[in-house]
Amino acid sequence: MRRSSTDESTYRRSPSPPGKEPGFARGGPFFGLHANPGPKAAQARYTSPKGSKYVVFYLDLSFIFLLELKRCSMARGCLQGVKYLMFAFNLLFWLGGCGILGVGIWLAATQGNFATLSSSFPSLSAANLLIVTGTFVMAIGFVGCIGAIKENKCLLLTFFVLLLLVFLLEASLAILFFAYTDKIDRYAQRDLKKGLHLYGTPGNVGLTNAWSIIQTDFRCCGVSNYTDWFEVYNATRVPDSCCLEFSESCGLHAPGTWWKAPCYETVKVWLQENLLAVGVFGLCTALVQILGLTFAMTMYCQVVKADTYCA
C-alpha cells in the first residue's frame, strides 16, 4: 500500500543550514543507529599525527625493554660463568694452603725447628715459614670463595687487594735480591758462620739437624771451608756429618777423611744448576696470582654491571 504525499511529507526533513550536516551524517546516533562516517572524517582519523606518535613511542619502549632484558640476561650469564670459575680457583687455592699448613705443622711437631740456619733469625725455620704461608694462603682463598659464591663486592675487592699486595711484595723482594746479590752473599755467609757456634747446643736441635743433613747430602763441610769448625770447637775437629765415611767420632780423625767442599758454594751451585726449575716454579706462582687477580676484577666488574643494569 503506497503512502500518500501527505504522509511522506511528515518524515521529510527540512533543509539544513549551509555548511552543516545532520547528526547521523556526522556519525552521531539517530534512534540508536550509528551512521558510517564520511570520507573526510575517515581520512582525518587515519592520518592523525597524535595517534601515530603514541604508537611509535610504545614500539620504541618495547624495543628498548627487549634490548635491556637481553643485556641483563647476557650479563647474568657471564657473571655465573666467572662466579663458578673463581670459586673453583679459590677452592684449589684454599686446599693448597691447607696442604702447606699441614706440612708445616708436621715439621714443627716431628722435627722441631727444622732448617733453622740463621742465628739472627731463630724463628725463621722451614716449619714456621710453611705455617705462616699456609695460613695466609688459606685466609686469602677463603675470602675469595665466599666473595665469589655470595657475589659480594666488598669481599671480592678485599681478595683483589690482598693478592695484589702479595704479588707486589714478591716482585719487590725478587728485584731487591738481584740488585743486592753481593751484599746478600756476604751477609748470609757471616750470619751462617755465627750460627755454627750454636751447633749441638741445647735448644738448637733444628739448627743441628739442618747442618747435619746439608753436610751429608751435599758432601760439604763448613760455610766457606771445613776450617770454619775449628773456631767452633777450638780444636782441629769437625762434626761427624763432614766425614767421607760416617762413624762415631770420625770428626776427630785426619782432614783427609773429611769433605773439603764449602757448603755455601755447593748449595749455590746446586741452585744455579736447577735454576730452570726454580724459574718455572716462580713463573707458575706469578701466573696463578695474576689469574686470581683477573678473576677477581672481572667478577667485581660483572657484579657492578649486573647491579647497575638489572637492579
Side-chain angles (χ1 to χ4, degrees), residues 81-95:
V82 176
K83 170 182 175 179
Y84 291 117
L85 281 175
M86 185 175 176
F87 178 78
F89 170 82
N90 283 285
L91 183 61
L92 294 176
F93 207 66
W94 182 79
L95 291 175

Side-chain angles (χ1 to χ4, degrees), residues 42-50 52:
Q43 184 178 2
R45 178 178 299 177
Y46 292 126
T47 60
S48 173
K50 188 175 181 180
S52 299

Side-chain angles (χ1 to χ4, degrees), residues 3 42 52 60 121 130-131 160 170 203 205 215 218 220 245 288 311:
R3 293 179 180 175
S52 299
D60 289 342
F121 304 98
L130 290 175
I131 289 173
F160 178 83
E170 292 172 351
V205 179
Q215 292 182 141
F218 286 93
C220 59
E245 295 182 3
V288 168

Side-chain angles (χ1 to χ4, degrees), residues 35 53-54 81 86 92 120 175 246 272 280-281:
K53 287 183 179 179
Y54 284 147
M86 185 175 176
L92 294 176
S120 302
I175 292 172
F246 179 81
Q272 290 175 350
V280 170
F281 176 77

